[in-house]
Amino acid sequence: MMIGAHLSNRRPLADARAIGAEVVQVFLSSPQSWKKPLPRPDAEELRSSPIPIYVHAPYLVNVMAGESRIRIPSRRILADTCEAAAQIGAAGVVVHGGHATGGSSLAEAAGRWRKALAPLDNEVPVLIENTASGDLAAARRLEDVRRLWEEIGDLEVGFVLDTCHAWAGGEPLEGLVERVMAVTGRIDLVHANNSRDPFDSRRDRHANLKSGEIPPDLLAEVVRDAGAPVVVETPSEGQEADIVWLRDQTAAG
């Protein structure tokens, strides 16, 4: 099981070596911008590295939006991010599930995910991440993830399980992996994060693995059960300790 962290995109490989990360996640452009990622001078180094690299799409992406002023640039930046990820040999592009807006139902808006995914080059898989809040979120409640997967599951889209998002969104962590697998049939990546807030808070605020509201043994259980690569998106000053602790917990399990 590979365990790593979300790191700055300036020198991700050097930073990974410094904290013992076996896998890396980065942004290739600003997480709050529609701007296309720029070519990287270290693209060949990243592509040839034995460390798998996952790319997180900007937070602005919402391909389920009813408003074209959001939906269309969301599709464009997702495609641009996938293209940039392919240039560095990324293992996947992580993107939040999004929300139905503009008066749309979740059932109606799910079809917009299919329209966004169908034209993409599949050289780098798109991995949809569960989210922490929103009554019309596509990937907060597992019953809504099921509806989404009924629409797009045949496109071989992947799934990212974020522990903080599940906790904050009201999904109990006990038995979570089994329930997710029953819906999606796969977990491609785990975001192992504790939460600064109580269960079902609908607040996406990450904490280091032993310092939040989620019992650490539950975090370790989810990671062990998932058996997928792991990225910690915790505060940077504690990431190295989080990796060491999680590695010990998974080895003990």
Side-chain angles (χ1 to χ4, degrees), residues 75 78-80 82 113 115-124 126:
R75 291 179 182 174
L78 179 59
D80 289 342
C82 288
W113 253 116
K115 291 180 179 178
L117 291 169
L120 293 180
D121 186 338
N122 289 331
E123 183 176 349
V124 178
V126 171

Side-chain angles (χ1 to χ4, degrees), residues 182-211:
V183 170
T184 66
R186 60 194 295 167
I187 296 173
D188 298 83
L189 183 68
V190 173
H191 284 171
N193 303 305
N194 210 316
S195 173
R196 293 167 57 187
D197 301 291
F199 180 75
D200 203 18
S201 64
R202 316 291 174 86
R203 302 185 74 181
D204 179 13
R205 300 197 304 168
H206 298 182
N208 291 106
L209 298 185
K210 294 196 293 180
S211 63

Side-chain angles (χ1 to χ4, degrees), residues 12 51 74 113 120 130 133 172 202 219 226 232 236 243 247 249:
I51 298 178
S74 292
W113 253 116
L120 293 180
N130 64 309
S133 64
R202 316 291 174 86
L219 291 174
V232 298
S236 58
I243 290 172
R247 192 169 286 140
Q249 293 299 306

Side-chain angles (χ1 to χ4, degrees), residues 82-95:
C82 288
E83 181 180 347
Q87 293 301 310
I88 66 167
V93 170
V94 178
V95 59

